[in-house]
Amino acid sequence: VQLVESGGGLVQPGGSLRLSCVVSGATFDDYNIGWFRQAPGKEREGVSCISSRARGTYYADSVKGRFTISSDNARNTVYLQMNSLKPEDTAVYYCAADRSSCFVPQFGSWGQGTQVTVSS
């Protein structure tokens, strides 16, 4: 399975961005799709996940109420709508896919990442 992220950029605090993750090479519905981020000098952290088939959604406490994950089956795409962005949201954001669960220790397939910078 291949994943390609897009939509990152520079935004002021309080602003919004929408990240996209296009999934190819596999049956879209079979995969749990997660968004992760890694800031300089910090460990990678899970941000959000949308489960396969039932499309249940999960969020880290740090983004709950500000970020929304969604999927478009017709486009094989998962989105991460990010509102009320804060400087601490600055990181490289990755999408990842796994057939098992949103809660596996390590997702099997990863995209190349997209940079999000929140700064005035």
Side-chain angles (χ1 to χ4, degrees):
V1 56
Q2 292 81 46
L3 304 101
V4 179
E5 305 98 331
S6 62
L10 172 64
V11 63
Q12 293 187 341
S16 298
L17 282 175
R18 188 177 77 160
L19 305 184
S20 299
C21 173
V22 178
V23 181
S24 62
T27 302
F28 185 64
D29 267 358
D30 287 348
Y31 284 83
N32 305 278
I33 308 295
W35 284 99
F36 298 80
R37 66 186 181 187
Q38 188 164 21
K42 294 188 176 181
E43 291 188 357
R44 187 174 62 202
E45 65 169 334
V47 174
S48 183
C49 186
I50 188 163
S51 66
S52 62
R53 303 192 182 280
R55 296 306 185 196
T57 58
Y58 308 93
Y59 299 93
D61 287 343
S62 57
V63 306
K64 207 169 288 184
R66 300 188 298 123
F67 290 11
T68 303
I69 192 170
S70 62
S71 67
D72 184 339
N73 283 12
R75 291 179 167 81
N76 282 12
T77 300
V78 170
Y79 302 100
L80 185 69
Q81 177 67 44
M82 306 187 296
N83 298 329
S84 303
L85 282 162
K86 306 175 182 179
E88 52 263 43
D89 293 318
T90 296
V92 178
Y93 283 70
Y94 301 89
C95 66
D98 198 278
R99 295 189 63 161
S100 298
S101 164
C102 274
F103 303 102
V104 294
Q106 176 68 33
F107 275 56
S109 301
W110 291 81
Q112 82 288 352
T114 185
Q115 176 71 47
V116 171
T117 303
V118 184
S119 174
S120 55

PDB file of all heavy atoms in Angstrom, residues 5 9 12 15 17 19 21 23 26 31 38 40 43 45 48 62 68 70 73 75-76 79 82-83 88 104 106 109 116:
ATOM      1  N   GLU A   5       0.906  12.126   1.402  1.00  0.00           N
ATOM      2  CA  GLU A   5       0.302  13.235   2.134  1.00  0.00           C
ATOM      3  C   GLU A   5       0.491  14.546   1.375  1.00  0.00           C
ATOM      4  O   GLU A   5       1.450  14.704   0.614  1.00  0.00           O
ATOM      5  CB  GLU A   5       0.951  13.408   3.517  1.00  0.00           C
ATOM      6  CG  GLU A   5       0.955  12.185   4.409  1.00  0.00           C
ATOM      7  CD  GLU A   5       2.265  11.449   4.361  1.00  0.00           C
ATOM      8  OE1 GLU A   5       2.951  11.506   3.316  1.00  0.00           O
ATOM      9  OE2 GLU A   5       2.626  10.807   5.372  1.00  0.00           O
ATOM     10  N   GLY A   9       1.895  23.286   5.424  1.00  0.00           N
ATOM     11  CA  GLY A   9       2.317  24.643   5.104  1.00  0.00           C
ATOM     12  C   GLY A   9       2.523  25.467   6.345  1.00  0.00           C
ATOM     13  O   GLY A   9       2.564  24.939   7.464  1.00  0.00           O
ATOM     14  N   GLN A  12      -0.680  30.884  10.637  1.00  0.00           N
ATOM     15  CA  GLN A  12      -0.596  31.637  11.880  1.00  0.00           C
ATOM     16  C   GLN A  12      -1.356  30.924  13.000  1.00  0.00           C
ATOM     17  O   GLN A  12      -2.286  30.146  12.728  1.00  0.00           O
ATOM     18  CB  GLN A  12      -1.171  33.039  11.682  1.00  0.00           C
ATOM     19  CG  GLN A  12      -0.353  33.915  10.759  1.00  0.00           C
ATOM     20  CD  GLN A  12      -0.857  35.346  10.707  1.00  0.00           C
ATOM     21  OE1 GLN A  12      -1.997  35.628  11.069  1.00  0.00           O
ATOM     22  NE2 GLN A  12      -0.004  36.251  10.267  1.00  0.00           N
ATOM     23  N   GLY A  15      -5.133  29.586  13.063  1.00  0.00           N
ATOM     24  CA  GLY A  15      -5.538  29.272  11.701  1.00  0.00           C
ATOM     25  C   GLY A  15      -5.882  27.805  11.503  1.00  0.00           C
ATOM     26  O   GLY A  15      -5.900  27.005  12.450  1.00  0.00           O
ATOM     27  N   LEU A  17      -5.673  24.267   8.652  1.00  0.00           N
ATOM     28  CA  LEU A  17      -5.119  23.554   7.504  1.00  0.00           C
ATOM     29  C   LEU A  17      -5.877  22.251   7.358  1.00  0.00           C
ATOM     30  O   LEU A  17      -6.378  21.697   8.350  1.00  0.00           O
ATOM     31  CB  LEU A  17      -3.631  23.236   7.690  1.00  0.00           C
ATOM     32  CG  LEU A  17      -2.595  24.328   7.472  1.00  0.00           C
ATOM     33  CD1 LEU A  17      -1.214  23.800   7.843  1.00  0.00           C
ATOM     34  CD2 LEU A  17      -2.608  24.837   6.045  1.00  0.00           C
ATOM     35  N   LEU A  19      -5.043  18.487   5.884  1.00  0.00           N
ATOM     36  CA  LEU A  19      -4.106  17.531   5.312  1.00  0.00           C
ATOM     37  C   LEU A  19      -4.879  16.431   4.599  1.00  0.00           C
ATOM     38  O   LEU A  19      -5.972  16.045   5.027  1.00  0.00           O
ATOM     39  CB  LEU A  19      -3.236  16.910   6.404  1.00  0.00           C
ATOM     40  CG  LEU A  19      -2.460  17.868   7.298  1.00  0.00           C
ATOM     41  CD1 LEU A  19      -1.570  17.066   8.264  1.00  0.00           C
ATOM     42  CD2 LEU A  19      -1.642  18.853   6.498  1.00  0.00           C
ATOM     43  N   CYS A  21      -4.431  12.474   2.688  1.00  0.00           N
ATOM     44  CA  CYS A  21      -3.625  11.263   2.554  1.00  0.00           C
ATOM     45  C   CYS A  21      -4.307  10.371   1.525  1.00  0.00           C
ATOM     46  O   CYS A  21      -5.393   9.840   1.790  1.00  0.00           O
ATOM     47  CB  CYS A  21      -3.510  10.549   3.897  1.00  0.00           C
ATOM     48  SG  CYS A  21      -2.699   8.939   3.821  1.00  0.00           S
ATOM     49  N   VAL A  23      -4.496   7.035  -0.563  1.00  0.00           N
ATOM     50  CA  VAL A  23      -4.082   5.642  -0.393  1.00  0.00           C
ATOM     51  C   VAL A  23      -4.246   4.908  -1.722  1.00  0.00           C
ATOM     52  O   VAL A  23      -5.295   5.003  -2.363  1.00  0.00           O
ATOM     53  CB  VAL A  23      -4.936   4.963   0.692  1.00  0.00           C
ATOM     54  CG1 VAL A  23      -4.493   3.515   0.891  1.00  0.00           C
ATOM     55  CG2 VAL A  23      -4.850   5.736   2.006  1.00  0.00           C
ATOM     56  N   ALA A  26      -4.106  -0.807  -2.666  1.00  0.00           N
ATOM     57  CA  ALA A  26      -4.768  -1.709  -1.721  1.00  0.00           C
ATOM     58  C   ALA A  26      -6.253  -1.366  -1.669  1.00  0.00           C
ATOM     59  O   ALA A  26      -6.672  -0.314  -2.144  1.00  0.00           O
ATOM     60  CB  ALA A  26      -4.159  -1.570  -0.339  1.00  0.00           C
ATOM     61  N   TYR A  31      -8.229  -0.939   5.464  1.00  0.00           N
ATOM     62  CA  TYR A  31      -7.132  -0.351   6.232  1.00  0.00           C
ATOM     63  C   TYR A  31      -7.596   0.684   7.260  1.00  0.00           C
ATOM     64  O   TYR A  31      -8.466   1.506   6.993  1.00  0.00           O
ATOM     65  CB  TYR A  31      -6.112   0.290   5.294  1.00  0.00           C
ATOM     66  CG  TYR A  31      -5.252  -0.750   4.621  1.00  0.00           C
ATOM     67  CD1 TYR A  31      -5.719  -1.408   3.490  1.00  0.00           C
ATOM     68  CD2 TYR A  31      -4.009  -1.096   5.145  1.00  0.00           C
ATOM     69  CE1 TYR A  31      -4.947  -2.395   2.892  1.00  0.00           C
ATOM     70  CE2 TYR A  31      -3.239  -2.076   4.547  1.00  0.00           C
ATOM     71  CZ  TYR A  31      -3.711  -2.720   3.423  1.00  0.00           C
ATOM     72  OH  TYR A  31      -2.947  -3.701   2.835  1.00  0.00           O
ATOM     73  N   GLN A  38       5.701  14.340  14.253  1.00  0.00           N
ATOM     74  CA  GLN A  38       6.984  14.346  14.959  1.00  0.00           C
ATOM     75  C   GLN A  38       7.585  15.736  14.869  1.00  0.00           C
ATOM     76  O   GLN A  38       7.848  16.240  13.765  1.00  0.00           O
ATOM     77  CB  GLN A  38       7.947  13.306  14.395  1.00  0.00           C
ATOM     78  CG  GLN A  38       9.207  13.168  15.224  1.00  0.00           C
ATOM     79  CD  GLN A  38       9.975  11.900  14.900  1.00  0.00           C
ATOM     80  OE1 GLN A  38       9.820  11.311  13.838  1.00  0.00           O
ATOM     81  NE2 GLN A  38      10.806  11.471  15.837  1.00  0.00           N
ATOM     82  N   PRO A  40      10.731  18.437  15.980  1.00  0.00           N
ATOM     83  CA  PRO A  40      12.182  18.318  16.175  1.00  0.00           C
ATOM     84  C   PRO A  40      12.526  18.008  17.627  1.00  0.00           C
ATOM     85  O   PRO A  40      12.036  18.667  18.547  1.00  0.00           O
ATOM     86  CB  PRO A  40      12.702  19.690  15.751  1.00  0.00           C
ATOM     87  CG  PRO A  40      11.679  20.208  14.810  1.00  0.00           C
ATOM     88  CD  PRO A  40      10.372  19.701  15.304  1.00  0.00           C
ATOM     89  N   GLU A  43       9.643  12.653  20.299  1.00  0.00           N
ATOM     90  CA  GLU A  43       9.227  11.378  19.760  1.00  0.00           C
ATOM     91  C   GLU A  43       7.974  11.541  18.896  1.00  0.00           C
ATOM     92  O   GLU A  43       7.189  12.470  19.076  1.00  0.00           O
ATOM     93  CB  GLU A  43       8.938  10.403  20.913  1.00  0.00           C
ATOM     94  CG  GLU A  43      10.170   9.979  21.686  1.00  0.00           C
ATOM     95  CD  GLU A  43       9.872   8.871  22.676  1.00  0.00           C
ATOM     96  OE1 GLU A  43       8.702   8.469  22.795  1.00  0.00           O
ATOM     97  OE2 GLU A  43      10.817   8.411  23.341  1.00  0.00           O
ATOM     98  N   GLU A  45       4.302  10.998  17.794  1.00  0.00           N
ATOM     99  CA  GLU A  45       3.090  10.764  18.572  1.00  0.00           C
ATOM    100  C   GLU A  45       1.892  10.549  17.654  1.00  0.00           C
ATOM    101  O   GLU A  45       1.815  11.127  16.563  1.00  0.00           O
ATOM    102  CB  GLU A  45       2.808  11.931  19.525  1.00  0.00           C
ATOM    103  CG  GLU A  45       2.503  13.244  18.851  1.00  0.00           C
ATOM    104  CD  GLU A  45       1.982  14.303  19.809  1.00  0.00           C
ATOM    105  OE1 GLU A  45       1.393  13.941  20.853  1.00  0.00           O
ATOM    106  OE2 GLU A  45       2.140  15.501  19.497  1.00  0.00           O
ATOM    107  N   SER A  48      -4.401  11.036  15.398  1.00  0.00           N
ATOM    108  CA  SER A  48      -5.782  10.625  15.142  1.00  0.00           C
ATOM    109  C   SER A  48      -5.770   9.363  14.300  1.00  0.00           C
ATOM    110  O   SER A  48      -4.765   9.048  13.650  1.00  0.00           O
ATOM    111  CB  SER A  48      -6.528  11.750  14.409  1.00  0.00           C
ATOM    112  OG  SER A  48      -7.889  11.415  14.201  1.00  0.00           O
ATOM    113  N   SER A  62      -4.557  15.980  23.043  1.00  0.00           N
ATOM    114  CA  SER A  62      -3.990  17.288  22.690  1.00  0.00           C
ATOM    115  C   SER A  62      -4.678  17.932  21.487  1.00  0.00           C
ATOM    116  O   SER A  62      -4.539  19.147  21.284  1.00  0.00           O
ATOM    117  CB  SER A  62      -2.493  17.157  22.415  1.00  0.00           C
ATOM    118  OG  SER A  62      -2.265  16.217  21.382  1.00  0.00           O
ATOM    119  N   THR A  68     -10.271  17.113  13.097  1.00  0.00           N
ATOM    120  CA  THR A  68     -11.290  16.171  12.676  1.00  0.00           C
ATOM    121  C   THR A  68     -10.733  15.294  11.564  1.00  0.00           C
ATOM    122  O   THR A  68     -10.235  15.820  10.564  1.00  0.00           O
ATOM    123  CB  THR A  68     -12.553  16.890  12.175  1.00  0.00           C
ATOM    124  OG1 THR A  68     -13.060  17.760  13.201  1.00  0.00           O
ATOM    125  CG2 THR A  68     -13.634  15.889  11.794  1.00  0.00           C
ATOM    126  N   SER A  70     -11.501  12.367   8.657  1.00  0.00           N
ATOM    127  CA  SER A  70     -12.614  11.884   7.850  1.00  0.00           C
ATOM    128  C   SER A  70     -12.059  11.134   6.655  1.00  0.00           C
ATOM    129  O   SER A  70     -10.870  11.223   6.348  1.00  0.00           O
ATOM    130  CB  SER A  70     -13.503  13.048   7.390  1.00  0.00           C
ATOM    131  OG  SER A  70     -12.769  13.939   6.567  1.00  0.00           O
ATOM    132  N   ASN A  73     -14.328   7.561   0.540  1.00  0.00           N
ATOM    133  CA  ASN A  73     -14.069   6.274  -0.102  1.00  0.00           C
ATOM    134  C   ASN A  73     -13.952   6.402  -1.617  1.00  0.00           C
ATOM    135  O   ASN A  73     -13.192   5.660  -2.250  1.00  0.00           O
ATOM    136  CB  ASN A  73     -15.171   5.279   0.248  1.00  0.00           C
ATOM    137  CG  ASN A  73     -15.008   4.724   1.640  1.00  0.00           C
ATOM    138  OD1 ASN A  73     -14.210   5.226   2.436  1.00  0.00           O
ATOM    139  ND2 ASN A  73     -15.774   3.706   1.964  1.00  0.00           N
ATOM    140  N   ARG A  75     -12.578   8.672  -3.259  1.00  0.00           N
ATOM    141  CA  ARG A  75     -11.254   9.209  -3.609  1.00  0.00           C
ATOM    142  C   ARG A  75     -10.114   8.472  -2.913  1.00  0.00           C
ATOM    143  O   ARG A  75      -8.954   8.874  -3.054  1.00  0.00           O
ATOM    144  CB  ARG A  75     -11.184  10.700  -3.267  1.00  0.00           C
ATOM    145  CG  ARG A  75     -12.066  11.568  -4.143  1.00  0.00           C
ATOM    146  CD  ARG A  75     -11.964  13.043  -3.745  1.00  0.00           C
ATOM    147  NE  ARG A  75     -12.556  13.927  -4.733  1.00  0.00           N
ATOM    148  CZ  ARG A  75     -13.840  14.177  -4.826  1.00  0.00           C
ATOM    149  NH1 ARG A  75     -14.689  13.634  -3.978  1.00  0.00           N
ATOM    150  NH2 ARG A  75     -14.292  14.999  -5.759  1.00  0.00           N
ATOM    151  N   ASN A  76     -10.430   7.418  -2.149  1.00  0.00           N
ATOM    152  CA  ASN A  76      -9.388   6.683  -1.400  1.00  0.00           C
ATOM    153  C   ASN A  76      -8.514   7.644  -0.595  1.00  0.00           C
ATOM    154  O   ASN A  76      -7.288   7.522  -0.578  1.00  0.00           O
ATOM    155  CB  ASN A  76      -8.515   5.858  -2.349  1.00  0.00           C
ATOM    156  CG  ASN A  76      -9.186   4.581  -2.794  1.00  0.00           C
ATOM    157  OD1 ASN A  76     -10.376   4.388  -2.589  1.00  0.00           O
ATOM    158  ND2 ASN A  76      -8.430   3.703  -3.434  1.00  0.00           N
ATOM    159  N   TYR A  79      -8.679  12.616   5.315  1.00  0.00           N
ATOM    160  CA  TYR A  79      -8.365  14.016   5.589  1.00  0.00           C
ATOM    161  C   TYR A  79      -8.160  14.237   7.087  1.00  0.00           C
ATOM    162  O   TYR A  79      -8.743  13.546   7.915  1.00  0.00           O
ATOM    163  CB  TYR A  79      -9.508  14.913   5.119  1.00  0.00           C
ATOM    164  CG  TYR A  79      -9.831  14.788   3.665  1.00  0.00           C
ATOM    165  CD1 TYR A  79     -10.913  14.021   3.234  1.00  0.00           C
ATOM    166  CD2 TYR A  79      -9.052  15.425   2.698  1.00  0.00           C
ATOM    167  CE1 TYR A  79     -11.216  13.891   1.890  1.00  0.00           C
ATOM    168  CE2 TYR A  79      -9.355  15.300   1.353  1.00  0.00           C
ATOM    169  CZ  TYR A  79     -10.432  14.533   0.955  1.00  0.00           C
ATOM    170  OH  TYR A  79     -10.725  14.407  -0.379  1.00  0.00           O
ATOM    171  N   MET A  82      -7.545  20.530  10.558  1.00  0.00           N
ATOM    172  CA  MET A  82      -6.900  21.054  11.760  1.00  0.00           C
ATOM    173  C   MET A  82      -7.315  22.508  11.947  1.00  0.00           C
ATOM    174  O   MET A  82      -6.987  23.355  11.107  1.00  0.00           O
ATOM    175  CB  MET A  82      -5.383  20.941  11.643  1.00  0.00           C
ATOM    176  CG  MET A  82      -4.912  19.526  11.313  1.00  0.00           C
ATOM    177  SD  MET A  82      -3.114  19.351  11.362  1.00  0.00           S
ATOM    178  CE  MET A  82      -2.638  20.436  10.028  1.00  0.00           C
ATOM    179  N   ASN A  83      -8.044  22.786  13.004  1.00  0.00           N
ATOM    180  CA  ASN A  83      -8.500  24.136  13.326  1.00  0.00           C
ATOM    181  C   ASN A  83      -7.846  24.621  14.615  1.00  0.00           C
ATOM    182  O   ASN A  83      -7.294  23.827  15.386  1.00  0.00           O
ATOM    183  CB  ASN A  83     -10.024  24.156  13.477  1.00  0.00           C
ATOM    184  CG  ASN A  83     -10.750  23.757  12.207  1.00  0.00           C
ATOM    185  OD1 ASN A  83     -10.271  23.997  11.097  1.00  0.00           O
ATOM    186  ND2 ASN A  83     -11.924  23.154  12.363  1.00  0.00           N
ATOM    187  N   GLU A  88       2.553  24.704  19.162  1.00  0.00           N
ATOM    188  CA  GLU A  88       2.977  23.348  19.540  1.00  0.00           C
ATOM    189  C   GLU A  88       2.451  22.271  18.598  1.00  0.00           C
ATOM    190  O   GLU A  88       2.812  21.101  18.753  1.00  0.00           O
ATOM    191  CB  GLU A  88       2.553  23.040  20.982  1.00  0.00           C
ATOM    192  CG  GLU A  88       1.085  23.298  21.285  1.00  0.00           C
ATOM    193  CD  GLU A  88       0.857  24.661  21.934  1.00  0.00           C
ATOM    194  OE1 GLU A  88       1.468  25.664  21.494  1.00  0.00           O
ATOM    195  OE2 GLU A  88       0.048  24.713  22.893  1.00  0.00           O
ATOM    196  N   VAL A 104      -2.373  -0.726  16.945  1.00  0.00           N
ATOM    197  CA  VAL A 104      -1.169  -1.546  16.833  1.00  0.00           C
ATOM    198  C   VAL A 104       0.052  -0.733  17.261  1.00  0.00           C
ATOM    199  O   VAL A 104       0.065   0.488  17.107  1.00  0.00           O
ATOM    200  CB  VAL A 104      -0.977  -2.075  15.397  1.00  0.00           C
ATOM    201  CG1 VAL A 104      -2.085  -3.041  15.041  1.00  0.00           C
ATOM    202  CG2 VAL A 104      -0.909  -0.926  14.408  1.00  0.00           C
ATOM    203  N   GLN A 106       2.910  -0.536  15.880  1.00  0.00           N
ATOM    204  CA  GLN A 106       3.613   0.043  14.736  1.00  0.00           C
ATOM    205  C   GLN A 106       2.793  -0.198  13.477  1.00  0.00           C
ATOM    206  O   GLN A 106       2.549  -1.339  13.107  1.00  0.00           O
ATOM    207  CB  GLN A 106       5.004  -0.603  14.595  1.00  0.00           C
ATOM    208  CG  GLN A 106       5.793  -0.160  13.383  1.00  0.00           C
ATOM    209  CD  GLN A 106       6.233   1.277  13.461  1.00  0.00           C
ATOM    210  OE1 GLN A 106       6.523   1.816  14.517  1.00  0.00           O
ATOM    211  NE2 GLN A 106       6.274   1.948  12.315  1.00  0.00           N
ATOM    212  N   SER A 109       2.575   0.625   6.972  1.00  0.00           N
ATOM    213  CA  SER A 109       2.914   1.420   5.791  1.00  0.00           C
ATOM    214  C   SER A 109       2.822   2.897   6.135  1.00  0.00           C
ATOM    215  O   SER A 109       1.890   3.307   6.829  1.00  0.00           O
ATOM    216  CB  SER A 109       1.958   1.103   4.639  1.00  0.00           C
ATOM    217  OG  SER A 109       2.008  -0.263   4.304  1.00  0.00           O
ATOM    218  N   VAL A 116       4.054  20.906   8.796  1.00  0.00           N
ATOM    219  CA  VAL A 116       3.098  21.907   9.276  1.00  0.00           C
ATOM    220  C   VAL A 116       3.835  22.823  10.242  1.00  0.00           C
ATOM    221  O   VAL A 116       4.427  22.356  11.215  1.00  0.00           O
ATOM    222  CB  VAL A 116       1.896  21.245   9.977  1.00  0.00           C
ATOM    223  CG1 VAL A 116       1.020  22.293  10.661  1.00  0.00           C
ATOM    224  CG2 VAL A 116       1.084  20.430   8.982  1.00  0.00           C
TER     225      VAL A 116
END
